Amino acid sequence: MSYIVEIDKEYVAGTYNRFPVEIVRGSGSVVYDTDGKRYIDMGSGIGVTALGLTNEGWQNAVAAQLGQLQHMSNLYYTAPCAELAQLLCERTGMKKVFFGNSGAEANECAIKVARKYAADKKGADYTTIITLENSFHGRTLTTLAATGQDHFHELFQPLTPGFVHTPANDIEALRRTVAEHKVAGILFECVQGEGGVIPLEPAFVQEMARLASEQDFLLMVDEVQTGNGRTGQLYAYMHYGITPDVVTTAKGLGGGLPIGAALLGEKAEKVLGFGDHGSTYGGNPVCCAGAYYVISHIDDTLLAEVREKSDYVFSALQGAEGIKSVTGKGLMIGIETVKPAAEVLKACMENGVLCLTAKAKLRLLPALNIPMPLLQEAVAVILDACKE
Ligand SMILES: *Cc1c(COP(=O)(O)O)cnc(C)c1O
């Protein structure tokens, strides 16, 4: 055992079951471990390093801001925060942005906005937030309550009350759930990520949007994993022809620096006033400068490339030996394998490809700009590892 593994095991809280690999450096979609072994990175830090590792333009943008001002309180104006908010609104049609530091924090903001919107408009008893079974919304006590997977809940009772879960893609059950509760909002992932990379059906998404508009509660899309180009559109809701009231995002937004955002549409933009919400690091200038670079480089050309690479991966994997199904959208891909996914992942790692899992599936979230030859090399290794 190396010294780093030893002290990590001794001093870092045991919340992560790490692989026995220490990564020391990376470039683009390639990383190296302590022995100098090369891996193709098909996980990109769980969809975080959207433009690859040590991206030069991103580094320059971050370094320039770092040399000017690394932090300032939200008591004052700073340019990167204002400019990033403007860019996000221009690219989505949303009206205002609240910045935090993570996906969970972005969802916490969305939930507060929905509760306050409902209290202001309908009364203080309209508190219920509907989420979907098999969803994932974060690790704080409130976003755990939102998460529709019981095994995350068991050890941490009592969770924040006021959440109900309804099955994905079941329109009748959705209508019943809405009818039975005093609803403040509905929160969902367009492609359930941690739940196994499962896209929602368009008719179901459109029915959630219709009910939210008819009953005047907030339609909130959790784009923490699906956002920022991951699915081949800037945000995944754009595939579904809906206009959300709140869009939350994080992961790929910062390109590797911690940032989360809740984008607020017309119905939600004025709900929060002075003192209703806050975050000390929220809108940090270095994180915002990095995110500005990321968002301004996810243009139509890159999005078209994401869709092309996605088509390539789907057609290479679908129907191949040892693969039962391939699901997802863009470069967010789930692979149902005949062998246990953990076994396939291990074989890939031995052969120089880092993958993720989601439930019983192998999951791929490569950088959006992964070069085609590297993607082909990784797919060949994955195909081989899946064979019985
Ligand atoms: C990762 C994830 C979160 C939580 O994000 P953190 O930054 O870890 O708090 C929330 N929602 C979805 C859909 C995610 O994939």
Side-chain angles (χ1 to χ4, degrees):
M1 213 167 30
S2 81
Y3 178 63
I4 291 302
V5 172
E6 246 171 72
I7 62 171
D8 188 290
K9 281 189 188 297
E10 181 153 356
Y11 295 109
V12 177
T15 56
Y16 306 107
N17 188 11
R18 300 195 205 278
F19 296 108
V21 175
E22 182 197 337
I23 301 296
V24 286
R25 65 192 171 87
S27 170
S29 286
V30 173
V31 296
Y32 298 89
D33 72 9
T34 34
D35 300 328
K37 179 174 172 181
R38 163 190 181 270
Y39 303 85
I40 302 174
D41 179 14
M42 295 296 283
S44 61
I46 316 192
V48 167
T49 49
L51 299 181
L53 290 154
T54 56
N55 179 297
E56 207 181 313
W58 178 85
Q59 276 185 326
N60 289 341
V62 168
Q65 183 54 46
L66 204 49
Q68 192 163 326
L69 183 77
Q70 79 268 39
H71 181 73
M72 192 32 70
S73 146
N74 276 310
L75 295 169
Y76 309 97
Y77 295 99
T78 51
C81 169
E83 285 166 356
L84 176 62
Q86 179 186 35
L87 180 64
L88 287 168
C89 289
E90 282 172 359
R91 295 288 302 273
T92 59
M94 303 297 280
K95 301 296 178 198
K96 284 196 166 40
V97 184
F98 176 83
F99 289 114
N101 311 285
S102 67
E105 207 184 338
N107 285 336
E108 291 268 347
C109 174
I111 292 159
K112 283 179 75 172
V113 169
R115 290 246 168 101
K116 184 158 186 290
Y117 177 84
D120 291 348
K121 282 211 93 165
K122 296 175 126 180
D125 52 340
Y126 278 76
T127 58
T128 301
I129 309 285
I130 300 174
T131 65
L132 303 184
E133 289 175 6
N134 197 45
S135 59
F136 182 82
H137 298 294
R139 302 282 192 167
T140 62
L141 285 170
T142 297
T143 57
L144 267 187
T147 292
Q149 300 187 55
D150 289 342
H151 69 98
F152 283 110
H153 296 168
E154 281 150 19
L155 302 172
F156 305 105
Q157 300 292 328
L159 302 178
T160 306
F163 289 85
V164 296
H165 313 299
T166 196
N169 299 324
D170 185 339
I171 289 178
E172 285 312 312
L174 170 70
R175 288 182 184 149
R176 247 179 287 130
T177 306
V178 169
E180 283 165 7
H181 294 88
K182 294 189 166 171
V183 180
I186 187 161
L187 174 69
F188 62 94
E189 304 151 88
C190 289
V191 182
Q192 294 189 326
E194 303 304 313
V197 200
I198 308 167
L200 294 184
E201 286 166 16
F204 181 77
V205 173
Q206 280 146 21
E207 182 62 9
M208 287 193 284
R210 194 191 66 76
L211 286 164
S213 153
E214 180 192 272
Q215 315 259 330
D216 197 14
F217 58 77
L218 294 190
L219 183 73
M220 305 186 288
V221 187
D222 178 343
E223 298 254 14
V224 172
Q225 190 164 152
T226 55
N228 316 302
R230 175 56 51 194
T231 68
Q233 293 282 353
L234 185 59
Y235 291 97
Y237 76 81
M238 294 168 173
H239 291 283
Y240 289 89
I242 56 164
T243 305
D245 301 309
V246 181
V247 176
T248 61
T249 192
K251 290 198 170 91
L253 177 61
L257 286 172
I259 182 169
L263 282 54
L264 310 172
E266 231 164 70
K267 247 160 89 168
E269 66 165 318
K270 297 203 174 80
V271 172
L272 296 178
F274 296 142
D276 285 339
H277 199 40
S279 180
T280 299
Y281 285 117
N284 169 274
V286 178
C287 297
C288 286
Y292 191 94
Y293 183 89
V294 171
I295 294 300
S296 54
H297 283 77
I298 302 174
D299 55 11
D300 289 344
T301 313
L302 182 60
L303 291 171
E305 276 174 35
V306 168
R307 295 192 293 268
E308 263 168 51
K309 289 174 201 166
S310 174
D311 289 346
Y312 160 71
V313 176
F314 271 85
S315 64
L317 297 180
Q318 260 165 347
E321 187 186 339
I323 294 179
K324 290 198 229 169
S325 72
V326 187
T327 58
K329 257 190 198 335
L331 288 175
M332 179 171 178
I333 297 169
I335 307 163
E336 195 190 353
T337 50
V338 174
K339 289 195 235 171
E343 212 176 283
V344 177
L345 180 141
K346 191 162 168 274
C348 288
M349 191 162 11
E350 278 163 14
N351 291 306
V353 174
L354 299 182
C355 301
L356 303 166
T357 57
K359 286 210 156 162
K361 290 186 187 174
L362 198 69
R363 174 173 45 156
L364 309 179
L365 298 170
L368 307 181
N369 62 356
I370 183 172
M372 199 58 190
L374 279 183
L375 190 60
Q376 286 166 329
E377 196 184 326
V379 163
V381 168
I382 293 164
L383 281 171
D384 202 49
C386 288
K387 281 185 190 151
E388 289 149 274

